[in-house]
């Protein structure tokens, strides 16, 4: 298993509008709160909503040489093109979370490194069933946290609170609930 407590190199990928940059921002804020070295690099097509979007988040105890991640230790993939593009590059012992609502094949047919843990479940459906439409990203983040423990739970809750803007404080409790649904998924 990768040493997630020392270093997490995560790619979060899907369609624009799924909240992957926001989920990455929460991860990055976990690192900032913990006093770790942090890199957060968004990447999206010109069309943004509906186009491809991903971000790379590095959390490390050591200096980060580059924000580009070519061999992630973790992946959140919220659509099939993301699985096909990034899953095979996840390092030995890494973790992959797949929302099979839009990635119906999961990691089927993808050659994964030894010891990669895959958690594939219908995060978007879980969000909608629980009145949390639009929070599948946070459910996936919760599942990734359950697999990697990339920060203390108190740190994650504080990072979510920090990332939810003051004018949207009514969304804090739903985000915390969505995160817990992912932990429990």
């Amino acid at each position: 298993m990768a040493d997630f407590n020392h270093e997490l190199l995560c790619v979060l990928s899907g369609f624009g509008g799924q909240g992957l940059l926001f989920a990455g921002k929460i991860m990055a804020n976990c690192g900032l709160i913990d006093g770790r070295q942090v890199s957060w690099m968004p990447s999206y097509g010109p069309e943004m909503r509906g186009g491809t979007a991903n971000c790379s988040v590095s959390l490390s105890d050591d200096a980060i040489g580059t924000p580009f991640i070519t061999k992630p230790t973790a992946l959140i993939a919220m659509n099939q093109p993301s699985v096909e593009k990034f899953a095979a590059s996840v390092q030995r012992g890494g973790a992959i979370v797949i929302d099979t609502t839009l990635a119906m094949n999961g990691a089927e047919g993808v050659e994964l490194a030894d010891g990669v843990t895959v958690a594939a479940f219908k995060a978007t459906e879980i969000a909608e069933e629980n009145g949390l439409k639009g929070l599948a990203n946070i459910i996936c983040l919760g599942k990734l946290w359950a697999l990697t423990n990339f920060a203390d739970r108190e740190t994650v809750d504080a990072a979510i609170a920090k990332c939810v803007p003051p004018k949207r404080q009514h969304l804090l409790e739903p985000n915390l609930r969505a995160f817990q649904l992912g932990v429990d998924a």
Side-chain angles (χ1 to χ4, degrees):
M1 192 73 151
D3 182 8
F4 300 110
N5 291 324
H6 173 68
E7 182 175 63
L8 178 81
L9 304 172
C10 186
V11 173
L12 300 89
S13 184
F15 292 125
Q18 288 183 299
L20 291 154
L21 303 184
F22 180 74
K25 187 176 174 183
I26 290 170
M27 289 181 78
N29 272 276
C30 287
L32 292 173
I33 291 168
D34 283 345
R36 299 178 78 189
Q37 300 294 313
V38 176
S39 172
W40 176 80
M41 189 177 76
S43 173
Y44 42 86
E47 58 279 317
M48 287 174 54
R49 189 167 298 276
T52 59
N54 67 72
C55 77
S56 300
V57 178
S58 299
L59 304 177
S60 182
D61 295 336
D62 301 322
I64 297 169
T66 178
F68 294 102
I69 298 175
T70 57
K71 297 293 285 177
T73 57
L75 169 66
I76 292 177
M78 292 188 65
N79 63 13
Q80 198 63 46
S82 297
V83 174
E84 293 165 6
K85 182 173 182 179
F86 296 109
S89 66
V90 174
Q91 292 182 39
R92 180 177 187 212
I96 300 175
V97 174
I98 301 171
D99 180 355
T100 56
T101 307
L102 292 175
M104 291 153 245
N105 297 332
E108 186 179 314
V110 177
E111 191 171 326
L112 301 175
D114 291 340
V116 171
T117 301
V118 177
F121 62 104
K122 296 188 177 296
T124 300
E125 285 185 18
I126 291 171
E128 291 174 3
E129 289 168 1
N130 285 277
L132 299 169
K133 185 177 170 98
L135 292 178
N137 59 329
I138 305 302
I139 292 172
C140 288
L141 186 63
K143 179 46 91 180
L144 183 67
W145 179 83
L147 295 174
T148 65
N149 199 13
F150 59 81
D152 291 336
R153 179 59 193 264
E154 297 79 26
T155 299
V156 175
D157 290 348
I160 292 171
K162 184 174 181 173
C163 291
V164 173
K167 66 181 179 194
R168 299 198 187 269
Q169 281 304 295
H170 64 283
L171 296 175
L172 177 57
E173 187 278 329
N175 274 275
L176 292 170
R177 205 160 39 99
F179 187 86
Q180 187 60 48
L181 283 171
V183 171
D184 296 338

